[in-house]
Amino acid sequence: MDLRTHPEILRYTAFTTDPAGGNPAGVVLDAATLDDAAMLATAAEVGYSETAFVTASDHAARRFRVRYFSPLAEVAFCGHATVATAVALAERIGPGPLVFDTPAGEIALDTSAEPAGSVTATLTSVPTRSRPASDEEVNASLAALHWSLDDLDPALPPHVAFGGMEHLVLAVATRERLAALDYDFDALAEVMHRHGWITLQLVWRETQDLFHARDPFPVGGVVEDPATGAAAAAFGGYLRTLGALPPSGAFTIRQGEDLGRPSLLRVEASTADPRVRVSGQALAIPGPGALTVEGGA
């Protein structure tokens, strides 16, 4: 059935307290009437790396079904769009716990109001896992990045890490190498499609509890994500697997600085729990709201 609906498209930027920072996400809180084609078309028109669609809501139970679309395809999970959606909901129904049913599994969230009026959201990931990357995976990725093995930090070996989606983790030895990222978009997209990765988590360790990250996202039609919550969760599991977590289990990831959109992701991991918690704030971006979408079902 071909219906015409007028869902409101909200725009939020996540993992920042500055509207000019963070990673923008589209949020549609009333997407029950939209079919897959309409959601994909909406995500493409919004143009952000992901747009989240709430396709079913139980406000009394504070439970919501959420799907995520990049401009090119549906993805099973997206951390920054999850934080953005959680903040948007908390602003409307009040802070407190939330549960999102996503294609990647159940995501528990805590939302809280800050004294200045902003809202912080903490997502608890699905169970994470991490394995050493193969030589073929590493060499193909390095070639597309125009990097060499000498650019990598031998103390943090390459892994494929999962936190709802799979990410190749490559740690570099210097901040300068990370800042000079200039990769072959098509070649890296081909490698990532071949192995089923959603981003590359490229990191530099400044201290035991402070990391800098960049996340190429060519499979979603985006050169780079300014903040990647799913990759942050996967990275927490990666550090746990390596025995490299700080004693507190908590660390910070700075991302987006090389793009001019600084982002801050706070991560908590434990050796006793395979899940990882990722926290950040999100702010509404002023702009157009309603969008006519055809193809509801």
Side-chain angles (χ1 to χ4, degrees):
M1 181 168 56
D2 184 20
L3 302 176
R4 186 175 293 271
T5 61
H6 297 77
E8 184 180 12
I9 311 300
L10 305 175
R11 292 163 171 82
Y12 276 72
T13 185
F15 295 112
T16 183
T17 57
D18 180 355
N23 196 359
V27 178
V28 181
L29 297 178
D30 55 350
T33 62
L34 300 184
D35 63 13
D36 290 10
M39 286 187 276
L40 181 59
T42 301
E45 181 160 344
V46 171
Y48 295 151
S49 58
E50 273 96 7
T51 295
F53 297 85
V54 178
T55 59
S57 303
D58 183 340
H59 285 225
R62 298 177 66 91
R63 192 174 193 113
F64 303 86
R65 187 165 68 237
V66 184
R67 296 174 66 183
Y68 311 91
F69 283 78
S70 80
L72 294 182
E74 183 174 11
V75 297
F77 179 64
C78 171
H80 82 276
T82 294
V83 167
T85 304
V87 169
L89 286 168
E91 289 176 344
R92 287 155 178 79
I93 66 175
L98 301 166
V99 177
F100 287 179
D101 293 306
T102 80
E106 180 181 293
I107 303 295
L109 295 116
D110 295 307
T111 60
S112 60
E114 302 299 326
S118 60
V119 177
T120 294
T122 299
L123 68 86
T124 299
S125 75
V126 298
T128 61
R129 61 178 183 266
S130 187
R131 64 160 177 85
S134 70
D135 289 345
E136 187 278 328
E137 290 171 328
V138 173
N139 292 335
S141 300
L142 291 177
L145 291 168
H146 307 137
W147 288 3
S148 73
L149 286 170
D150 290 339
D151 291 314
L152 302 183
D153 180 352
L156 295 172
H159 267 223
V160 175
F162 175 85
M165 300 287 286
E166 285 198 331
H167 311 259
L168 177 67
V169 178
L170 294 176
V172 295
T174 68
R175 182 68 178 90
E176 291 74 21
R177 175 71 277 179
L178 191 65
L181 179 65
D182 181 18
Y183 70 92
D184 185 323
F185 187 93
D186 292 333
L188 188 58
E190 190 280 325
V191 174
M192 294 172 68
H193 278 300
R194 189 191 326 151
H195 295 293
W197 304 329
I198 193 67
T199 73
L200 264 63
Q201 176 81 331
L202 310 176
V203 300
W204 174 68
R205 180 166 60 181
E206 180 174 345
T207 67
Q208 190 178 35
D209 56 8
L210 176 60
F211 295 83
H212 298 253
R214 300 187 72 171
D215 279 62
F217 185 36
V219 295
V222 176
V223 173
E224 185 176 346
D225 252 356
T228 317
F235 188 66
Y238 162 83
L239 291 179
R240 184 184 59 241
T241 296
L242 292 183
L245 285 169
S248 68
F251 60 93
T252 297
I253 297 175
R254 301 181 69 93
Q255 193 176 337
E257 294 175 333
D258 298 295
L259 297 176
R261 297 196 64 91
S263 307
L264 201 66
L265 301 89
R266 303 195 183 278
V267 186
E268 298 173 76
S270 165
T271 57
D273 188 343
R275 301 174 302 170
V276 174
R277 290 166 59 86
V278 181
S279 300
Q281 293 177 298
L283 303 173
I285 302 171
L291 176 68
T292 298
V293 181
E294 291 189 10

